[in-house]
Amino acid sequence: MEDALSLDVFTEAIADAVPAVDRNTTGQYGDGLGSEDEERQVELLLDHLRETDDRYEEVNREVPYPDSSEKCDLVLPNGMPVEAKLLRYWRANGDPEPAMYGHVFSPFHQNTLLTDARRLHTSEFSGRSGLLGLFYTRADDDPETVEALPERYTAGEIAEKIVRDIEHWYDEVNANICMITEFNRLQHSIHKKGAVISWLVE
């Protein structure tokens, strides 16, 4: 019997799909999935899953919030809304991406992981909701990893920081790590490995 398409199952499936999609992606800024933008990555990964498993035909994209004109990135077949974010701290040429920290961790801007969590919590979607992060980092043997990469720049540390930051900024929102599934051996010279991270929001 197939597993129900819960957030943890979806997280693992997305991570399992990354290497296959990566092999077949010719990017504008280098071959591989890692240099593509957020919307393109979600599109390619979901298209791949739909080709291999009919359950993913029922994952809807860009679904309007019940109480506003804003749209949610994904809604799973069980009705769970999920906002997705690209967690990528280097540009394709290897330079740091200066806007990325705020894009993920800021409580003061729209469409960050933190403000997405609050929007999901206060929306009229019923039940629990989810966050999904596509996290990329450099290869272990990359010289920049040794020189500039903080030891705590790992999928696990990022996942825990999101939980702490949501707790700090929003008393009414509760977030927990759902699943972290790693992937590696990707094509791009900078975006060589990473993980898919998911959080449950209540």
Side-chain angles (χ1 to χ4, degrees):
M1 182 177 178
E2 291 183 326
D3 293 329
L5 194 47
S6 56
L7 182 58
D8 56 343
V9 171
F10 185 62
T11 303
E12 289 191 317
I14 289 286
D16 289 345
V18 168
V21 174
D22 180 80
R23 286 193 297 271
N24 295 309
T25 300
T26 301
Q28 182 179 0
Y29 301 106
D31 289 347
L33 183 64
S35 64
E36 298 296 287
D37 64 26
E38 180 180 296
E39 183 175 352
R40 178 69 170 153
Q41 291 199 29
V42 172
E43 177 186 14
L44 290 171
L45 290 165
L46 189 54
D47 285 350
H48 175 82
L49 292 177
R50 286 170 171 167
E51 291 173 1
T52 58
D53 190 329
D54 290 342
R55 291 178 299 171
Y56 295 96
E57 293 288 348
E58 299 179 25
V59 177
N60 294 314
R61 293 190 61 209
E62 298 299 319
V63 178
Y65 275 75
D67 47 343
S68 77
S69 60
E70 295 179 298
K71 293 185 178 181
C72 183
D73 291 329
L74 302 161
V75 174
L76 302 185
N78 63 7
M80 176 181 282
V82 178
E83 292 285 8
K85 278 289 175 291
L86 184 58
L87 313 179
R88 186 181 61 192
Y89 283 78
W90 287 274
R91 294 175 174 171
N93 64 0
D95 290 343
E97 175 51 72
M100 186 53 60
Y101 190 88
H103 175 72
V104 177
F105 293 110
S106 175
F108 306 113
H109 299 85
Q110 292 185 341
N111 301 318
T112 73
L113 265 181
L114 267 62
T115 54
D116 280 354
R118 185 175 186 275
R119 182 167 68 247
L120 286 166
H121 175 77
T122 59
S123 77
E124 294 183 6
F125 279 119
S126 60
R128 295 190 296 180
S129 52
L131 300 171
L132 188 79
L134 302 173
F135 169 77
Y136 289 88
T137 188
R138 305 171 83 121
D140 292 336
D141 59 357
D142 188 322
E144 288 295 325
T145 299
V146 177
E147 296 294 330
L149 188 62
E151 291 182 3
R152 291 190 176 181
Y153 185 71
T154 67
E157 293 286 352
I158 295 294
E160 291 175 5
K161 178 172 170 54
I162 288 294
V163 171
R164 292 194 303 269
D165 284 6
I166 289 173
E167 180 181 2
H168 175 80
W169 290 107
Y170 309 121
D171 291 338
E172 74 279 13
V173 185
N174 183 44
N176 294 286
I177 299 168
C178 175
M179 180 72 67
I180 302 172
T181 306
E182 296 182 348
F183 52 80
N184 55 32
R185 298 181 181 178
L186 305 184
Q187 289 191 77
H188 198 275
S189 59
I190 302 299
H191 311 301
K192 298 290 289 185
K193 64 176 188 173
V196 180
I197 310 167
S198 58
W199 299 263
L200 287 168
V201 178
E202 298 179 284

